[in-house]
Amino acid sequence: MKIFIASICASAALLSSASAQNSQITNSRAPVANPTSVISEFSVESIGPILSELGVTWNAYEADGGQPYIDANFSGAVNFRLIPSSCRANGFKKCAGLSMLAGFSGQANAQTVNAFNYRYAFASAGLDPTGSAYLSRYEISDYGVARGNIATSFLVFIQQAAFFADELASARQTVSLEGYADDLSASSLNRQAREKLTGVKITAANPIELHQQGFEELAEHVRVFISDQSAPKNKITNFSKQ
């Protein structure tokens, strides 16, 4: 089986390149043609053309046992893997799930990974047993999903992988990360302050920026929710004591 080792360079130049291409793609009415047409399953044949339309270079492979997957690269800056999952027919056909993975070389700061998770709900950041970081997301298409939605998910995942790489690189040069998680919602709070001062609602230029605002706002929503004593919470039962 081919082992996935994706190395993402966290330089400002590569991050800027990815962001610029994102902006170019998403400033149009839709990131891909026929954005409302529905894809009934995830496969190399269904998602490959979407990647190509987004300017992503990719190659399809098969792991031991026949599991298909795609290794992709965006703008020479972000490497990631796509794996059709939850297949309802033999031969990895009629797959209703799609796993997205981006790996990062080197040792990662655990607090940076946790802080990134706190800010971005779209994907999950983690550490493998060797201490290397990864970013993952799982898409569902039990009853079909629009091409435009898949394209936007890819673009947001790519953007978050670029941001994550930048945060991981910065963390290695940081003396103290105390309070880092609390600072992550700062851009959202700053935007709200500007809107209150000017009385003008700051609108997103494209779908990627709009979702970015949503991620930033979620961090504040989580803080308010956790501190709200009247909010309904789920009980934790220790079965071992019963």
Side-chain angles (χ1 to χ4, degrees), residues 106-115 127 131 133 164 167-168 171-172 174-177 180:
Q107 295 293 301
N109 184 294
Q111 187 169 346
T112 301
V113 173
N114 291 335
L127 291 172
F164 192 32
E167 297 292 351
L168 291 171
R172 296 191 184 98
T174 303
V175 175
S176 173
L177 292 177
Y180 180 73

Side-chain angles (χ1 to χ4, degrees), residues 75-118:
S75 193
V78 178
N79 298 299
F80 59 101
R81 174 168 289 190
L82 303 172
I83 309 170
S85 309
S86 300
C87 303
R88 293 167 289 190
N90 293 333
F92 301 98
K93 303 296 183 182
K94 297 184 178 180
C95 301
L98 180 67
S99 298
M100 302 184 194
L101 296 169
F104 303 83
S105 59
Q107 295 293 301
N109 184 294
Q111 187 169 346
T112 301
V113 173
N114 291 335
F116 194 88
N117 270 329
Y118 179 80

Side-chain angles (χ1 to χ4, degrees), residues 31-172:
V32 291
N34 304 316
T36 59
S37 63
V38 175
I39 287 177
S40 59
E41 62 186 69
F42 291 120
S43 65
V44 172
E45 292 74 21
S46 65
I47 62 180
I50 295 176
L51 292 171
S52 295
E53 285 187 64
L54 295 177
V56 175
T57 58
W58 59 276
N59 289 292
Y61 302 95
E62 282 191 5
D64 292 344
Q67 169 70 63
Y69 65 93
I70 290 174
D71 278 347
N73 175 275
F74 181 83
S75 193
V78 178
N79 298 299
F80 59 101
R81 174 168 289 190
L82 303 172
I83 309 170
S85 309
S86 300
C87 303
R88 293 167 289 190
N90 293 333
F92 301 98
K93 303 296 183 182
K94 297 184 178 180
C95 301
L98 180 67
S99 298
M100 302 184 194
L101 296 169
F104 303 83
S105 59
Q107 295 293 301
N109 184 294
Q111 187 169 346
T112 301
V113 173
N114 291 335
F116 194 88
N117 270 329
Y118 179 80
R119 180 177 184 179
Y120 297 109
F122 178 81
S124 176
L127 291 172
D128 70 14
T130 69
S132 295
Y134 65 87
L135 196 67
S136 67
R137 174 170 169 80
Y138 187 80
E139 291 280 351
I140 295 175
S141 179
D142 281 334
Y143 303 99
V145 60
R147 294 184 84 247
N149 285 350
I150 298 173
T152 299
S153 287
F154 287 164
L155 290 174
V156 174
F157 185 78
I158 289 166
Q159 183 191 55
Q160 289 204 345
F163 284 165
F164 192 32
D166 192 52
E167 297 292 351
L168 291 171
S170 299
R172 296 191 184 98

Side-chain angles (χ1 to χ4, degrees), residues 152-227:
T152 299
S153 287
F154 287 164
L155 290 174
V156 174
F157 185 78
I158 289 166
Q159 183 191 55
Q160 289 204 345
F163 284 165
F164 192 32
D166 192 52
E167 297 292 351
L168 291 171
S170 299
R172 296 191 184 98
Q173 303 168 14
T174 303
V175 175
S176 173
L177 292 177
E178 263 188 343
Y180 180 73
D182 292 337
D183 292 339
L184 287 175
S185 60
S187 55
S188 174
L189 296 176
N190 290 340
R191 185 177 64 254
Q192 294 173 25
R194 290 196 301 272
E195 291 175 351
K196 185 176 181 179
L197 179 65
T198 63
V200 178
K201 177 70 174 179
I202 299 175
T203 57
N206 55 58
I208 307 306
E209 288 186 8
L210 185 62
H211 288 301
Q212 175 68 19
Q213 290 181 9
F215 301 141
E216 293 169 353
E217 291 165 359
L218 181 59
E220 178 64 10
H221 295 328
V222 170
R223 187 192 67 78
V224 172
F225 174 74
I226 295 300
S227 62

